[in-house]
Amino acid sequence: MLGWALTFLVIALIAALLGFGGIAGASAGIAKILFVIFLVLFVVAMIARAVKGKPPV
C-alpha cells in the first residue's frame, strides 16, 4: 500500500512539473489517502502484535 502511495506521489509530481494541475491534484489526493490508510493499518498491526504478547519489531 505504501508503494501505491509513493507511485501516486511521483505521478502527481511529474504531472505538476508538466503543468497538468487537475491530474496532479487528483494524484496527490489519492497518495494522501493511501498513505493515511497505510499508517492506520500499520498502527493496528502493531497494537495487535503487542496484544498477542510479541514485542514490536
Side-chain angles (χ1 to χ4, degrees):
M1 179 131 352
L2 185 58
W4 281 103
L6 292 175
T7 301
F8 279 105
L9 177 64
V10 169
I11 291 171
L13 292 174
I14 292 172
L17 287 174
L18 296 176
F20 299 112
I23 296 172
S27 294
I30 292 169
K32 288 178 189 178
I33 292 168
L34 289 175
F35 185 70
V36 169
I37 292 171
F38 168 78
L39 285 179
V40 168
L41 291 176
F42 178 74
V43 170
V44 168
M46 288 294 111
I47 291 171
R49 187 174 174 97
V51 169
K52 286 185 176 181
K54 298 179 182 177
V57 177

